[in-house]
């Protein structure tokens, strides 16, 4: 069966997010003063062919730990969409 998996990868909360700071500066330059903070991350969608939802989630977790996310600087969340 094919499972749709969404992965959200974000910088760790304790780390500086230079891309988020740049977006924050841009928003302020545009006069959008109400924004308090900006964090920029990644949204990845995978279609995984697996025998079960558990197997699909494990494969997505392996993809995150081996390639998609840097555990030193980022955390990730996996959501099964099916």
């Amino acid at each position: 069966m094919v499972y749709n998996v969404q992965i959200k990868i974000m910088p760790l909360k304790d780390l500086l997010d230079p891309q988020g700071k740049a977006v924050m500066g841009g928003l302020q330059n545009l006069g959008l003063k109400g924004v308090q903070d900006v964090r920029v991350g990644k949204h990845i969608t995978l279609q995984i062919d697996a025998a079960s939802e558990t197997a699909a989630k494990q494969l997505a977790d392996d993809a995150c730990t081996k390639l998609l996310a840097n555990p030193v600087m980022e955390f990730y969340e996996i959501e099964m969409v099916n």
Side-chain angles (χ1 to χ4, degrees):
M1 183 169 182
V2 176
Y3 294 91
N4 293 310
V5 180
Q6 293 185 4
I7 301 168
K8 179 176 79 168
I9 302 172
M10 295 296 292
L12 293 172
K13 301 210 184 300
D14 295 338
L15 294 180
L16 178 66
D17 180 5
Q19 191 173 6
K21 296 297 179 199
V23 170
M24 179 78 162
L27 292 171
Q28 289 177 347
N29 288 341
L30 292 171
L32 304 170
K33 305 290 183 190
V35 179
Q36 296 291 313
D37 190 29
V38 177
R39 306 288 286 174
V40 175
K42 298 178 270 191
H43 179 96
I44 300 170
T45 302
L46 302 176
Q47 288 187 330
I48 298 175
D49 187 11
S52 68
E53 184 174 315
T54 302
K57 190 169 186 177
Q58 182 60 52
L59 197 149
D61 188 65
D62 289 345
C64 288
T65 59
K66 293 179 180 179
L67 177 67
L68 300 176
N70 179 349
V72 174
M73 301 183 335
E74 300 170 317
F75 71 94
Y76 62 91
E77 296 174 0
I78 297 171
E79 179 184 352
M80 304 301 292
V81 180
N82 292 46

